[in-house]
Amino acid sequence: MKKLSVDKTSSKGIAIGKAYKYEKISFVPDMYVYNDKDEEIKIYKNATEQVSDELTKLAQTNDIFTGHLELVNDVALLDEVTNKIVNDKKNVQIAFRDTIDEFVAMFEAMDNEYMKARADDIKDIYQRVMAKIKNVELKNLSSINTSTIVIAKDLAPSDTATMNLDYILGFATQGGGVTSHVCIMARNLGLPALVGADNLLEEVNDNDIIIIDATNGDIYINPDEATIKEFENKKSDFEKREKLLKENAHLEAITKDNKRVLVYSNVGNIEDIKNAVKCYIDGIGLFRSEFLYMENSHFPTEEEQFEVYKEAVQICTGEVIIRTLDIGGDKELSYYEFDKEENPFLGFRAIRISLHLKDMFKEQLRALLRASAFGYVSIMYPMIISLEELLEANSILDECKKELDSQNIAYNKDIKVGMMIETPASVMEAEAFAKYVDFFSIGTNDLTQYMLAVDRGNDKIADMYDSFNPAVLHAIQKVIDAGHKENIVVGMCGEFASDERACKMLLGMGLDEFSVAFTQVATIKSIIRESDFKKCKEISEKIRFIHSKKEVNDILNMF
């Protein structure tokens, strides 16, 4: 028996069965010199039209393909391919390959896991369009007719769309990230799935008996009978727990001693919100508005944004906290040229861009204000590091309110305004900031990186990126204390809020709102309902006086 392990699991559960190795065609462009550039462009347009037709049909039954459809029809993609054909004299296959490579590299370089996952979608588009250009039939998984676990280098949403799910027990891939659309699909379907399993294809053969323990991140290859029996029992226990979670998902997050906590969800688009509301969320703790900009060929207009924000609050009846544009750093726009920066994460990004591009910022703020007439919208500024920035942003917001008043356009006069706490500066000045906002939301992804001076994308020091570090925990406690001193709500929208091990500790530290992936909502609510707030608070008080990871672990073991 062999065992492989991965650092992150994408969809919990246990699967036991035979392996099916799925290897896709690797498309290499033909090296030829074209005679007619217009003919090359025509070939590309014909291919994308065919793919667009196929994706339109798929999008009718699976919302994920709506994003694929937008990608294949992206004007920026067409422009880049055309430019390479006309100006660089590349044939359509090379031009398309090179353009896709550039798009993939841009997304993979991003620090945001959700945006990194878009690279997988772009690779999927490459497969589909190149197959049409080369007139080749793509392989698919529709032929599987026995219970099996799919093993692959990677899987695209279109791969899973062809599966007969009656026969798929789970899957494992060598590449991919936990926020990829395939993993989201796996979570929605309740399929155990693991991604990023090194040497998977070398270690696993067709028809090997394997066990996927997607709860702990382990793969067992050709296990003995005792191990199989052990995991059959674990699988049964896990399924019972999941059934209970679903049955109780509608219950509020109230501790045994009646402490009410809000459990919100993080989203990136309308489809995310539709999925989140099915999980009985209390609201949206982070709507990442930058995706409206990144998936566009121009700065979205006030009207375009208004329609999206309006739809968002009409779908979710609870509070919807919409973060203003958080671009720069690892997130770029195809239609706006950023200056080359040595340290982009410390450079021209987030609120700094909004305050610089005031007209663009006003369009977003006006759209947000207008949407507040249709539901519970709250506005949140990212990356604030000084009181001057906060006051300037609020001043621009006031300008927008006066403009709407003069035009007799309705909006919520009492709209709440908050800010992200994600830098050491915002932690240190939290007491001052709390006097000018209605809420804080702690962004632990960036806060951990900045507090510890650790690049979370650097594999050599990845183990140093740890939100359980005492310095980070002390920062979180300081922010919660500062917020409560001014009677404002303190939430958390970073990945740490989804950490099951951290949940009771954060509860005891006084966190008012957990904003998590919608797939974690039921679990976090369940942990809170099983907790005694008074006891959690007593234990968490010890966090204030510790200075080592060992002491942190000792405290966590007390919960």
Side-chain angles (χ1 to χ4, degrees), residues 325-344:
L325 181 60
D326 186 9
I327 209 72
D330 59 337
K331 291 170 282 190
E332 297 183 354
L333 302 175
S334 61
Y335 49 88
Y336 182 82
E337 187 172 350
F338 289 85
D339 292 337
K340 179 70 176 176
E341 295 181 294
E342 287 296 322
N343 296 295

Side-chain angles (χ1 to χ4, degrees), residues 261-305:
V261 180
L262 298 172
V263 181
Y264 285 8
S265 183
N266 299 331
V267 300
N269 52 43
I270 295 298
E271 299 310 319
D272 285 352
I273 297 176
K274 290 178 180 177
N275 285 322
V277 295
K278 295 174 186 175
C279 299
Y280 302 97
I281 57 172
D282 293 313
I284 300 297
L286 171 62
F287 184 118
R288 302 178 180 94
S289 70
E290 57 267 25
F291 297 145
L292 275 172
Y293 293 75
M294 297 181 71
E295 296 174 358
N296 218 318
S297 58
H298 60 276
F299 282 111
T301 64
E302 176 185 328
E303 200 62 34
E304 288 171 335
Q305 293 186 70

Side-chain angles (χ1 to χ4, degrees), residues 212-231:
I212 292 181
D213 179 1
T215 301
N216 294 310
D218 297 321
I219 300 172
Y220 298 84
I221 306 165
N222 294 318
D224 54 37
E225 286 299 322
T227 303
I228 292 175
K229 183 64 178 176
E230 175 191 348
F231 276 93

Side-chain angles (χ1 to χ4, degrees), residues 44 66 107 114 116 151 184 277 296 401 425 491 498 505 546:
Y44 176 71
T66 302
F107 280 95
Y114 183 93
K116 277 185 177 180
I151 302 296
I184 293 170
V277 295
N296 218 318
K401 289 179 179 179
S498 294
M505 176 186 67
I546 54 90

Side-chain angles (χ1 to χ4, degrees), residues 35 128 547:
N35 295 317
R128 285 180 165 276
H547 301 284

Side-chain angles (χ1 to χ4, degrees), residues 402-441:
K402 290 175 183 177
E403 289 173 5
L404 294 180
D405 287 337
S406 68
Q407 296 171 281
N408 292 318
I409 296 175
Y411 66 91
N412 178 11
K413 307 288 186 180
D414 299 316
I415 191 168
K416 289 184 178 179
V417 178
M419 61 176 278
M420 296 276 288
I421 298 289
E422 51 191 334
T423 66
S426 60
V427 172
M428 295 302 294
E429 294 301 309
E431 286 194 18
F433 289 133
K435 299 178 188 299
Y436 295 92
V437 294
D438 299 302
F439 63 91
F440 285 149
S441 186

